[in-house]
Amino acid sequence: MQDSKALKSVGRAAAAAVMGAALMVTGLGSEAQAEQFGPGDLVLVVYGNNTELVQKVGTIGGIASGISTTIDLSQVGGANALQYTLLGFNQTPPSAPSNFLAGSSIAAETFTTGQKVAITPTNYVNPLVSWGTQLVTANDTRLNIPKADALSFSTFLNQSGNNSLNGGFPVRMSSDVDTLLNIIGRNNAPQGNVALANLGTALLTAAGQFTISAVPIPAAAVLFATGMIGLVGVARRSFNMTA
């Protein structure tokens, strides 16, 4: 009986590792700074005042080796405390919302069963994809966007101001500056009670230092995930055709 429980626990841990590896590996690509984004891109958002920062800090694949860069926060200050989060997806509709990444105030293993069931991927991924498409269509490469702008983060993913990424998650999906942010992922899974993967943690300081530390992934899981690399190429072509 105990052996059976142990095996199930190991199986769940292995599944989460594979999901994390798949999200990371399928996001492989060169780092880019232009603020138009698409499948596989890792997007940092800093918000809380009248101007929001939207900046690509690399790719989802880059999480595996860690990321370190400097962010200019000079345009986003104000009376309110700054918050930040990370956004990303690996597939576009109709495949979405099976693959996504997001910043979270709590780690993947801390989500309760009820919280996992309450996740609504379409609420998050669909407006995220739409936002990216509209930025490309408008050829908008601004780093700093007014909160009230039609192409801002708040317009697409935080209209209610409750930090739930448009109601996609039942917990806060951001952290205050100078506080660790968990990076969670979900891969090829329908809505419902399924495993979330911890991909790593991020930290943005008030001085603008931004770092990501990855969760170690077993080599076997990474090898398994390499079979999904072709998905990003297909997704990017589809995204570019619809833009």
Side-chain angles (χ1 to χ4, degrees):
M1 191 85 155
Q2 291 181 343
D3 289 344
S4 176
K5 289 182 178 179
L7 286 172
K8 288 181 179 179
S9 177
V10 170
R12 284 193 295 268
V18 168
M19 284 200 305
L23 274 168
M24 290 183 186
V25 174
T26 56
L28 288 172
S30 59
E31 183 170 338
Q33 295 302 325
E35 302 340 305
Q36 297 169 6
F37 61 85
D41 289 326
L42 184 63
V43 182
L44 170 70
V45 177
V46 185
Y47 64 104
N49 291 296
N50 291 332
T51 301
E52 302 173 344
L53 181 142
V54 181
Q55 183 170 341
K56 285 197 292 189
V57 290
T59 63
I60 295 175
I63 295 174
S65 54
I67 292 173
S68 179
T69 190
T70 301
I71 306 297
D72 182 1
L73 301 178
S74 63
Q75 303 301 309
V76 294
N80 301 320
L82 288 177
Q83 302 181 60
Y84 72 107
T85 193
L86 287 165
L87 314 172
F89 63 96
N90 268 337
Q91 292 176 302
T92 56
S95 298
S98 57
N99 291 5
F100 67 73
L101 167 153
S104 171
S105 61
I106 64 175
E109 65 268 16
T110 308
F111 277 74
T112 66
T113 297
Q115 288 171 333
K116 291 177 184 177
V117 171
I119 294 172
T120 310
T122 51
N123 284 7
Y124 167 49
V125 179
N126 287 355
L128 177 60
V129 171
S130 178
W131 184 25
T133 301
Q134 292 188 45
L135 285 170
V136 171
T137 300
N139 195 26
D140 193 331
T141 60
R142 290 176 292 172
L143 276 175
N144 300 290
I145 303 176
K147 178 181 177 180
D149 194 280
L151 292 176
S152 72
F153 163 74
S154 287
T155 296
F156 281 86
L157 286 165
N158 198 38
Q159 289 187 12
S160 66
N162 66 0
N163 308 308
S164 66
L165 295 179
N166 197 44
F169 300 86
V171 302
R172 179 185 175 189
M173 298 301 287
S174 66
S175 285
D176 294 335
V177 166
D178 286 324
T179 304
L180 279 177
L181 177 74
N182 296 282
I183 308 171
I184 64 170
R186 192 171 185 175
N187 187 65
N188 285 335
Q191 182 176 332
N193 178 25
V194 299
L196 292 171
N198 272 327
L199 305 184
T201 57
L203 179 64
L204 176 64
T205 71
Q209 294 301 311
F210 179 74
T211 56
I212 286 180
S213 301
V215 172
I217 297 175
V222 174
L223 289 173
F224 177 84
T226 55
M228 298 182 64
I229 290 178
L231 286 175
V232 167
V234 173
R236 283 190 180 278
R237 286 194 294 273
S238 174
F239 187 85
N240 290 334
M241 288 176 64
T242 58

